[in-house]
Amino acid sequence: MTVHEALEAPLLRFEEALSELVRSEVLFIRLIHQDLVTAGGKRIRPRLVFLASGALGGAPYDLELALAVELLHSATLLHDDLIDDAETRRGKEAAFRKYGNAVSVLSGDFLLSRLLFVIAKTGRMELVERFAEVAKTLSEGEVLQFQVAALEDYSLENYERIITAKTAVLMALCTEGPALLKGEAEEVREALRRFGLLYGQAFQMRDDYLDLMGTPETLGKPVGGDVREGKATLITLLLMERFPEVREILRRKGREAGDLERLRALAQESGVAKEVEERIRQRAEAAARALLPLPDSPYKEALKALALKEAKRLS
Amino acid sequence: MTVHEALEAPLLRFEEALSELVRSEVLFIRLIHQDLVTAGGKRIRPRLVFLASGALGGAPYDLELALAVELLHSATLLHDDLIDDAETRRGKEAAFRKYGNAVSVLSGDFLLSRLLFVIAKTGRMELVERFAEVAKTLSEGEVLQFQVAALEDYSLENYERIITAKTAVLMALCTEGPALLKGEAEEVREALRRFGLLYGQAFQMRDDYLDLMGTPETLGKPVGGDVREGKATLITLLLMERFPEVREILRRKGREAGDLERLRALAQESGVAKEVEERIRQRAEAAARALLPLPDSPYKEALKALALKEAKRLS
């Protein structure tokens, strides 16, 4: 049985359990969750849990952990992606927005309450503690991202803090979690934690790269979303060091005609695009190397392959 | 030592612990929390915890529980009171709003992560379970309130569901919590839980009454906020049964000149205002009676007095 086949059953149970878990008597909560939570998605985080679980031997399970990380991720999506309520009223937005931001946010809170429920079911207080830490770091990372944009406090150091806090620490919990639940040795826990952190960073760096350098077709949304929110990512930060105009473009949130095209051209011509791809590759390879202390297995190979894919992911 | 004096020390420790707990390295989180969380407030929920704790004998403590209920309450305030982002940009709103709704919401999430931290510190998994239940009910109640307004699904039954879910269940956890932590008999737990539920309902009924019938001076905000959000409360629900025009006023969210004055006049002339006050008094008295199984003590008397105050509270 391949790893891919071995994951089918737990992923199926995951979808069933998730639907069950987010069931509510309140119609508007059901409608939002139909759109956002139970409509599929790549389930990257539950997959990480199952792969890490499998890499430790035994069946790839830890269903509650997989549910909890996905619930935290989905709630964050509902909480950080608010839109202008005036736009909602003009009906420009997706169906699930039409009840307004507050309903989206409170539906996210509902998911967080189900996260509490599902970790309580494990009976493991250290899991409650780890989720407390991760949720704290995650919310701080999200707010820091807004703060850096508002104060134009752009730096590579802040960029690393943001991608670590808002993406990598949750990925690290996905991979370390099974080791924690199984009571593995510190060396194994640390290896899986480091893998999750480095993989999460590479993942976010790739997402940020594609946000500017990708195509609307592969992204499934217009390019330049980060620029339009005044958010500097690795590519714009490196460009800023060489071209003062990039700071101006970010300040005006890419609103002038040709701004995005200019950034893309500068990134290609200056070699910054290549440099960023190289940095992502290095981070992905560091993630793969972090798994060295683990016994060889198809699951370990699958985790490595997942990380190395970030060096060339296009969508 | 009076109950009032006995509560001083725990409330002081509460304020210190709360400030410590919500400390963050992220500037924007600190700014929002200064405005909203550590700026005082009536601390009704922590007081309930301390009073219930005292009524069970021993020092009125349960600090972690008091912190957890206040964190949940504060996070909900940050999550259900979103405003039009366009207004934020025009600078019409309070200082803490100026970074936008998303930052408020994510700062609320930070508080929820601290709630997890503080209940993990108690080492009591049944507390995690209870918070999971209450947070679920609370978010469902908040969404239901928006849903009822959007669908004009007005009924006394929905009103009772909403005030119970969004206010009373958390109050019930405040009062039952200490009994749960102390391992009290089921009869005592149930008495305190029923007290919290009935008191919470009376409290919300009084808040809703004052929202329409109070004065801007005692309210500290313009009257008619609920009408302007299309939210029916006990007073408008009872008026609706007698005067069809009230449904029209609610539908247009009290936007026409004289709408609010008309509602207030109708409520006074028809006797509905008196009827609502009578219903609040009955609920408050039921709360006081629920405490019967508890041994007599100054704390029990203080809880009773707190409930009976709802029958005449003006601000």
Side-chain angles (χ1 to χ4, degrees):
Chain A
M1 187 156 68
T2 67
V3 168
H4 181 77
E5 286 163 356
L7 250 52
E8 269 178 32
L11 281 170
L12 206 65
R13 275 193 295 264
F14 170 87
E15 295 296 336
E16 287 167 2
L18 184 66
S19 293
E20 176 72 23
L21 206 50
V22 304
R23 188 175 296 170
S24 171
E25 284 184 12
V26 179
L27 172 70
F28 278 23
I29 291 183
R30 282 205 301 278
L31 292 176
I32 287 188
H33 292 170
Q34 266 168 24
D35 275 11
L36 262 191
V37 184
T38 52
K42 285 185 264 178
R43 308 298 189 213
I44 295 169
R45 290 157 192 81
R47 274 174 204 276
L48 275 178
V49 170
F50 295 139
L51 287 174
S53 178
L56 297 170
Y61 212 66
D62 291 316
L63 180 64
E64 278 88 11
L65 180 62
L67 290 165
V69 295
E70 189 72 0
L71 287 167
L72 183 52
H73 171 64
S74 301
T76 309
L77 286 186
L78 278 165
H79 282 181
D80 80 345
D81 199 22
L82 303 186
I83 49 134
D84 190 327
D85 265 331
E87 280 182 35
T88 325
R89 284 193 300 268
R90 287 195 299 271
K92 281 192 176 174
E93 291 296 322
F96 80 93
R97 304 279 198 197
K98 69 183 170 208
Y99 312 116
N101 281 328
V103 172
S104 293
V105 170
L106 294 161
S107 297
D109 288 349
F110 177 86
L111 297 184
L112 292 176
S113 77
R114 302 312 282 161
L115 181 162
L116 260 190
F117 172 82
V118 85
I119 52 179
K121 260 175 66 176
T122 67
R124 302 287 291 264
M125 198 54 99
E126 68 258 59
L127 210 57
V128 181
E129 287 166 14
R130 292 305 311 276
F131 270 93
E133 279 172 43
V134 169
K136 174 175 183 282
T137 308
L138 212 160
S139 59
E140 286 185 311
E142 295 274 356
V143 172
L144 182 63
Q145 186 166 41
F146 280 97
Q147 178 181 315
V148 165
L151 305 180
E152 298 181 29
D153 189 12
Y154 304 129
S155 69
L156 286 174
E157 195 196 332
N158 274 337
Y159 179 69
E160 288 288 340
R161 282 175 71 194
I162 289 168
I163 64 172
T164 302
K166 77 168 205 171
T167 306
V169 292
L170 181 55
M171 300 275 200
L173 183 54
C174 292
T175 49
E176 186 193 359
L180 187 120
L181 290 172
K182 287 186 168 74
E184 296 282 343
E186 180 56 31
E187 191 197 25
V188 170
R189 278 180 54 172
E190 175 62 16
L192 282 166
R193 201 186 65 80
R194 269 183 55 77
F195 170 82
L197 265 186
L198 291 161
Y199 167 68
Q201 290 165 348
F203 179 89
Q204 190 58 54
M205 288 161 82
R206 171 57 65 178
D207 259 12
D208 293 345
Y209 175 87
L210 292 173
D211 187 80
L212 185 61
M213 305 304 288
T215 64
E217 294 72 38
T218 49
L219 273 180
K221 61 181 180 185
V223 296
D226 289 331
V227 174
R228 252 178 256 107
E229 294 183 40
K231 290 175 181 164
T233 60
L234 189 48
I235 208 158
T236 35
L237 285 165
L238 292 177
L239 283 175
M240 233 184 266
E241 289 174 0
R242 307 191 202 178
F243 308 102
E245 63 174 303
V246 171
R247 185 175 280 269
E248 286 309 312
I249 292 177
L250 215 57
R251 183 170 291 152
R252 65 179 179 247
K253 301 188 172 177
R255 280 203 200 94
E256 285 186 19
D259 273 350
L260 288 176
E261 291 71 18
R262 177 71 182 148
L263 288 177
R264 289 161 63 107
L266 279 176
Q268 293 293 8
E269 290 158 17
S270 64
V272 160
K274 276 235 156 348
E275 188 184 333
V276 170
E277 292 227 67
E278 175 58 22
R279 288 195 192 204
I280 298 171
R281 195 178 57 76
Q282 285 170 11
R283 201 68 60 106
E285 287 172 358
R289 277 196 307 277
L291 293 176
L292 213 62
L294 262 63
D296 287 335
S297 77
Y299 290 101
K300 176 176 165 176
E301 291 311 308
L303 283 170
K304 272 184 175 175
L306 198 67
L308 295 175
K309 210 180 71 183
E310 292 308 307
K312 48 185 192 299
R313 177 161 65 88
L314 292 178
S315 67
Chain B
M1 188 155 70
T2 67
V3 168
H4 181 74
E5 287 162 355
L7 251 51
E8 271 178 31
L11 281 170
L12 207 64
R13 274 193 296 266
F14 170 87
E15 295 296 335
E16 287 167 3
L18 184 66
S19 293
E20 176 72 24
L21 205 52
V22 304
R23 189 176 294 169
S24 170
E25 285 184 12
V26 179
L27 172 69
F28 278 22
I29 291 183
R30 282 205 301 279
L31 292 176
I32 287 188
H33 293 170
Q34 266 168 25
D35 274 10
L36 263 191
V37 184
T38 54
K42 285 184 264 176
R43 307 299 189 212
I44 295 168
R45 290 157 192 82
R47 274 174 204 276
L48 276 178
V49 170
F50 295 139
L51 288 174
S53 177
L56 298 170
Y61 212 67
D62 291 316
L63 180 62
E64 278 88 10
L65 179 62
L67 290 164
V69 294
E70 188 71 1
L71 286 168
L72 183 52
H73 172 63
S74 301
T76 308
L77 286 186
L78 278 165
H79 283 181
D80 81 345
D81 200 21
L82 302 186
I83 49 136
D84 190 327
D85 266 332
E87 280 181 34
T88 325
R89 285 194 298 269
R90 287 194 299 271
K92 280 191 179 174
E93 290 296 321
F96 79 91
R97 304 280 197 195
K98 68 182 170 208
Y99 312 117
N101 281 329
V103 172
S104 293
V105 170
L106 294 161
S107 296
D109 288 349
F110 176 85
L111 298 183
L112 292 176
S113 77
R114 303 311 282 161
L115 181 161
L116 260 191
F117 172 82
V118 86
I119 51 178
K121 261 175 66 176
T122 67
R124 302 286 292 265
M125 198 55 99
E126 69 259 57
L127 211 56
V128 180
E129 287 165 13
R130 292 305 310 273
F131 270 93
E133 278 171 44
V134 169
K136 173 174 183 283
T137 308
L138 212 159
S139 59
E140 287 183 311
E142 295 275 356
V143 172
L144 182 63
Q145 186 167 39
F146 281 97
Q147 178 182 316
V148 165
L151 306 181
E152 298 181 29
D153 189 12
Y154 304 128
S155 69
L156 286 174
E157 194 196 332
N158 274 337
Y159 179 71
E160 288 288 340
R161 282 176 71 193
I162 290 168
I163 64 173
T164 302
K166 77 169 205 170
T167 306
V169 292
L170 181 55
M171 301 275 200
L173 181 55
C174 291
T175 49
E176 187 193 359
L180 187 120
L181 290 172
K182 286 186 168 76
E184 297 283 344
E186 180 56 32
E187 190 198 25
V188 170
R189 278 180 53 172
E190 175 63 15
L192 282 167
R193 200 186 65 80
R194 269 183 56 78
F195 171 83
L197 266 185
L198 292 161
Y199 167 68
Q201 290 165 348
F203 179 88
Q204 190 58 52
M205 287 160 83
R206 171 57 67 177
D207 259 12
D208 293 345
Y209 176 87
L210 291 173
D211 187 81
L212 184 62
M213 304 305 288
T215 66
E217 294 73 37
T218 51
L219 272 180
K221 61 182 181 184
V223 296
D226 288 332
V227 174
R228 253 178 256 105
E229 294 182 40
K231 289 174 182 165
T233 60
L234 188 48
I235 208 159
T236 35
L237 285 165
L238 292 178
L239 283 176
M240 233 183 267
E241 289 173 1
R242 306 191 202 177
F243 309 102
E245 63 174 304
V246 171
R247 185 176 279 269
E248 287 307 313
I249 292 177
L250 215 58
R251 184 171 291 155
R252 63 180 180 247
K253 300 187 173 178
R255 281 203 199 93
E256 285 186 19
D259 273 350
L260 288 176
E261 292 71 18
R262 177 73 182 147
L263 288 177
R264 288 161 63 107
L266 281 176
Q268 293 293 9
E269 290 159 16
S270 65
V272 160
K274 276 236 158 348
E275 187 183 334
V276 170
E277 292 226 68
E278 175 59 21
R279 289 197 190 202
I280 298 171
R281 195 178 59 74
Q282 285 172 8
R283 200 71 58 108
E285 286 172 358
R289 277 196 307 276
L291 292 175
L292 213 62
L294 262 63
D296 287 335
S297 77
Y299 289 102
K300 176 176 165 176
E301 290 310 309
L303 283 170
K304 272 185 179 175
L306 199 67
L308 295 175
K309 211 180 69 183
E310 292 308 308
K312 49 186 191 297
R313 178 161 64 88
L314 292 179
S315 67

